[in-house]
Amino acid sequence: MSLIQLKDNIGGMRSLQTLRDVKIDEEVGQIEKELGKLWHIRDLGLTNVGEESGSALCSSLNKMKRLEKLSIIAKSKNEVIDLQDLKKPSMLRKLHLHGKLYKLPAWVPDHDSLVKLVLSGSKLTDDLLNSLKDIPNLLFLSIINEAYEGENLDFQSRDFEDLEELELGSFYRLRSITIHNDALPSLKKLLIRDIPQLKMAPFG
């Protein structure tokens, strides 16, 4: 459903814990002001999110102290999801970000409650794995749809020691994946798909 239809009363649903697949419409200020009243939300999914709504959205999210799962989908592949003002959601366990990012939120690399991270279309160019490798309890990682624009993914020794599932896919610049000895020691499932420049599967 569209949040625009609920703008006059959504904030009154004080006991609501799950709100998924909600499309953010044009009147972002009023809508996100109402979102900030939903203090008990544990599972929130938003779509059609534009960069212009970043500050108001972060302000609302910062009030959700019980948030365990967050999914944000940008309105287009070139639209930036601006989370620079988002403070660390202490109870967050699952984070899905579908859209271009300036950079990862600063709290992601050392978030000790985060067990699942999905990055799609992020178009990050920094050493992405170096930023993610030490997330203490990460079990599932999906990096897909040009989330990373480098030519190599290099899993160093002792990286991602607790990770059980890894998905890599839809990269059109990536040429190699290197997995060193003792990297990914707990991995149970590996999915590699749609990487046309990749000439061979990684060793190890």
Side-chain angles (χ1 to χ4, degrees), residues 109 127 139 146:
D127 188 350
L139 300 177
E146 298 288 346

Side-chain angles (χ1 to χ4, degrees), residues 45-189:
L46 303 174
T47 70
N48 200 50
V49 175
E51 182 175 1
E52 72 282 354
S53 64
S55 179
L57 179 58
C58 289
S59 178
S60 296
L61 293 174
N62 288 336
K63 298 173 184 176
M64 298 177 183
K65 304 302 183 183
R66 301 184 182 186
L67 195 61
E68 296 179 9
K69 182 178 179 180
L70 175 63
S71 174
I72 300 177
I73 301 176
K75 66 171 64 175
S76 72
K77 66 179 182 179
N78 293 318
E79 193 79 28
V80 173
I81 300 174
D82 185 1
L83 298 178
Q84 301 306 304
D85 295 329
L86 181 60
K87 298 176 182 177
K88 180 179 179 179
S90 60
M91 298 182 66
L92 192 68
R93 301 182 70 250
K94 300 179 181 181
L95 177 62
H96 296 205
L97 299 176
H98 302 263
K100 190 174 180 180
L101 298 174
Y102 288 125
K103 60 181 180 179
L104 283 174
W107 45 263
V108 168
D110 62 353
H111 198 306
D112 55 10
S113 296
L114 197 63
V115 298
K116 181 175 182 178
L117 177 62
V118 177
L119 298 175
S120 174
S122 308
K123 298 186 181 298
L124 295 168
T125 56
D126 294 336
D127 188 350
L128 181 59
L129 295 185
N130 193 51
S131 300
L132 302 177
K133 67 180 182 180
D134 295 322
I135 299 177
N137 296 300
L138 191 66
L139 300 177
F140 180 96
L141 176 62
S142 178
I143 308 173
I144 56 175
N145 298 328
E146 298 288 346
Y148 174 63
E149 293 197 317
E151 294 187 356
N152 180 61
L153 283 173
D154 193 358
F155 293 86
Q156 297 285 340
S157 178
R158 304 188 68 82
D159 283 0
F160 299 96
E161 290 193 311
D162 295 319
L163 196 70
E164 295 183 356
E165 295 189 22
L166 174 63
E167 179 184 15
L168 304 170
S170 297
F171 297 112
Y172 302 105
R173 298 183 183 180
L174 192 69
R175 294 180 177 275
S176 68
I177 299 173
T178 304
I179 301 177
H180 293 264
N181 289 337
D182 300 324
L184 304 166
S186 302
L187 200 68
K188 297 178 179 179
K189 181 177 180 180

